[in-house]
Amino acid sequence: MNYLEKLRATMTDEKKESAKKDIFAFYIGRPLSYILTVPFLWLNVTPNFISVIAFIEIILAGTILAVANTLPVALIGWFLFFLWNLLDGVDGNIARLKKNGSPIGSVYDAMSGYAAMFLLYFSAGIWASKVSVMGSLLIIIGSISGMSVLFPRLVMHKAATAVQKNNLNSKLADRSDFGIVKSIVLNFTSISGLVQPILLIAIVTNKVVMFTVVYLIINVTVMLGSLYKILK
């Protein structure tokens, strides 16, 4: 059995069924992450080292998209966001295959994930501000959009500790009961899902202003729904 087959075998059937709900991440991102994992396995790199690389890389992605003044540079910024998407899967792939994951490893992994959630919308807002008469208002919109993605997660973690709700994190992350509406929302809001190809299309077609405004509405709406579910 080669590395790719071994990596595919590390996912349980239950995890696969849950992961399949996020179509782009499962059918595009995950297979590519398996391919990217192989050279890191040859180099015997640890999952935590990959997580640190991913964190540095996502900061670079946000910075390049934010400072971009031309379409080619903006596309480089987008590509680095997509590369982060793949790297974000590599550390978990290695940890499951070699069974060398650790509690601190999940913290490193979450660190780059949280950075990506904010920076994608924030840097897209900065890029949009350069091509629209709305100017700096779009930077504010992008920052609010990014914070709307982060805020319910911060509240959730605090509630899980302070209120001591049983398995609150796992309940909110559980996708087993997702119907059509929840599955659509998941696909269009997952930072490793359709958000990335939609941003690419927006950059190429000069629709980043629309992307920034529409996702502000989506992210704030999802945030309010998530907070209601956590706090009720």
Side-chain angles (χ1 to χ4, degrees):
M1 183 181 293
N2 61 35
Y3 273 137
L4 289 178
E5 291 173 339
K6 289 178 180 178
L7 288 167
R8 294 188 191 102
T10 59
M11 285 192 75
T12 64
D13 291 339
E14 182 180 3
K15 186 172 177 61
K16 282 181 182 178
E17 287 305 311
S18 176
K20 282 180 181 178
K21 301 284 186 179
D22 194 344
I23 296 172
F24 182 83
F26 184 80
Y27 291 102
I28 304 296
R30 189 171 294 276
L32 290 176
S33 79
Y34 289 153
I35 295 172
L36 185 60
T37 301
V38 173
F40 288 110
L41 288 171
W42 290 339
L43 295 170
N44 198 31
V45 176
T46 66
N48 288 355
F49 184 75
I50 299 298
S51 296
V52 172
I53 291 176
F55 179 74
I56 296 171
E57 198 270 348
I58 198 61
I59 299 298
L60 182 62
T63 301
I64 290 178
L65 182 57
V67 304
N69 286 311
T70 63
L71 178 60
V73 178
L75 290 174
I76 291 172
W78 176 87
F79 174 77
L80 290 173
F81 272 108
F82 182 67
L83 180 59
W84 165 82
N85 187 5
L86 304 187
L87 286 171
D88 189 51
V90 170
D91 52 3
N93 293 338
I94 294 174
R96 287 191 299 273
L97 182 65
K98 293 192 171 184
K99 296 181 173 55
N100 61 350
S102 64
I104 193 63
S106 65
V107 175
Y108 287 144
D109 184 57
M111 185 170 64
S112 69
Y114 287 169
M117 290 174 195
F118 177 77
L119 285 174
L120 186 141
Y121 297 107
F122 181 56
S123 59
I126 295 175
W127 168 252
S129 72
K130 300 173 185 177
V131 295
S132 170
V133 294
M134 294 175 67
S136 58
L137 177 60
L138 286 162
I139 300 175
I140 297 171
I141 289 174
S143 63
I144 293 173
S145 186
M147 284 305 301
S148 297
V149 179
L150 287 177
F151 187 65
R153 287 170 171 79
L154 300 176
V155 174
M156 177 185 68
H157 293 313
K158 182 63 177 179
T161 302
V163 184
Q164 296 183 339
K165 291 186 177 180
N166 293 330
N167 300 316
L168 177 61
N169 292 351
S170 60
K171 285 180 181 178
L172 291 175
D174 184 15
R175 302 174 183 175
S176 60
D177 64 343
F178 275 23
I180 295 294
V181 174
K182 285 186 177 180
S183 294
I184 291 173
V185 171
L186 169 68
N187 278 272
F188 279 93
T189 59
S190 169
I191 201 68
S192 57
L194 288 175
V195 171
Q196 294 203 357
I198 290 172
L199 176 59
L200 174 61
I201 294 169
I203 291 173
V204 172
T205 60
N206 197 26
K207 300 294 183 184
V208 184
V209 174
M210 182 183 295
F211 171 91
T212 302
V213 173
V214 169
Y215 264 100
L216 170 70
I217 297 169
I218 292 173
N219 290 336
V220 168
T221 301
V222 172
M223 176 189 70
L224 294 175
S226 299
L227 290 175
Y228 173 75
K229 187 174 182 180
I230 295 168
L231 301 173
K232 70 176 180 178

